[in-house]
Amino acid sequence: MLAGCGVQGDAYQPRRVPAEKSVVYIYRPFKVLGSSATPMVTCGHETIEMEPGGYYSFEQESGPVTCTAASEAKAEYKFDARPGEQYFIREDVDTVAQGGATHFKLMRADVAEDEIKDCRRQGIKQ
């Protein structure tokens, strides 16, 4: 299964974006030769252990948002959330580094929706 997912959960469904908040999707596409490491990720006010083929979405107040990986001080991405908008943050975990090196990238909605469609929703970890 080349484009499949290892995560058990609901298939991707876009959320309605409220006028006064933004919606943030963080996702990790499944890669056959990708790392199986599952770094703990914090994006905005949410923290989750993101598995290959998983996604998580949440509502965010407007203002600065920071996404980080707990295992790496350098794995950080910052952006400003605006009311009524949606953001797609792709997490990539390299196989080269011990335990995997994590990278975040803000994706265009049309590209992200094509990548995230095969992912499954993960539950929040607290």
Side-chain angles (χ1 to χ4, degrees):
M1 181 158 62
L2 295 177
C5 294
V7 175
Q8 301 297 314
D10 295 335
Y12 167 72
Q13 288 292 322
R15 294 174 62 156
R16 185 186 70 74
V17 181
E20 68 284 354
K21 294 184 179 184
S22 60
V23 172
V24 178
Y25 297 90
I26 184 164
Y27 70 102
R28 182 176 170 192
F30 180 84
K31 296 178 184 175
V32 173
L33 299 176
S35 174
S36 62
T38 55
M40 190 65 73
V41 172
T42 298
C43 196
H45 59 277
E46 302 286 335
T47 300
I48 189 162
E49 191 174 39
M50 187 61 63
E51 297 179 41
Y55 87 93
Y56 185 74
S57 62
F58 59 94
E59 290 183 4
Q60 176 70 41
E61 299 290 334
S62 62
V65 177
T66 301
C67 298
T68 60
S71 59
E72 300 172 63
K74 292 188 272 180
E76 180 177 273
Y77 185 80
K78 296 180 181 182
F79 65 98
D80 285 321
R82 296 187 187 118
E85 297 201 12
Q86 62 183 355
Y87 300 91
F88 293 87
I89 307 296
R90 184 176 71 198
E91 176 192 16
D92 291 307
V93 180
D94 295 338
T95 58
V96 177
Q98 179 69 14
T102 305
H103 306 279
F104 299 104
K105 183 176 181 181
L106 180 64
M107 302 298 292
R108 287 189 352 237
D110 61 331
V111 173
E113 286 180 333
D114 187 52
E115 292 179 335
I116 200 173
K117 70 181 180 195
D118 293 323
C119 292
R120 301 283 181 193
R121 181 168 167 76
Q122 291 188 238
I124 189 164
K125 311 285 183 181
Q126 294 185 5

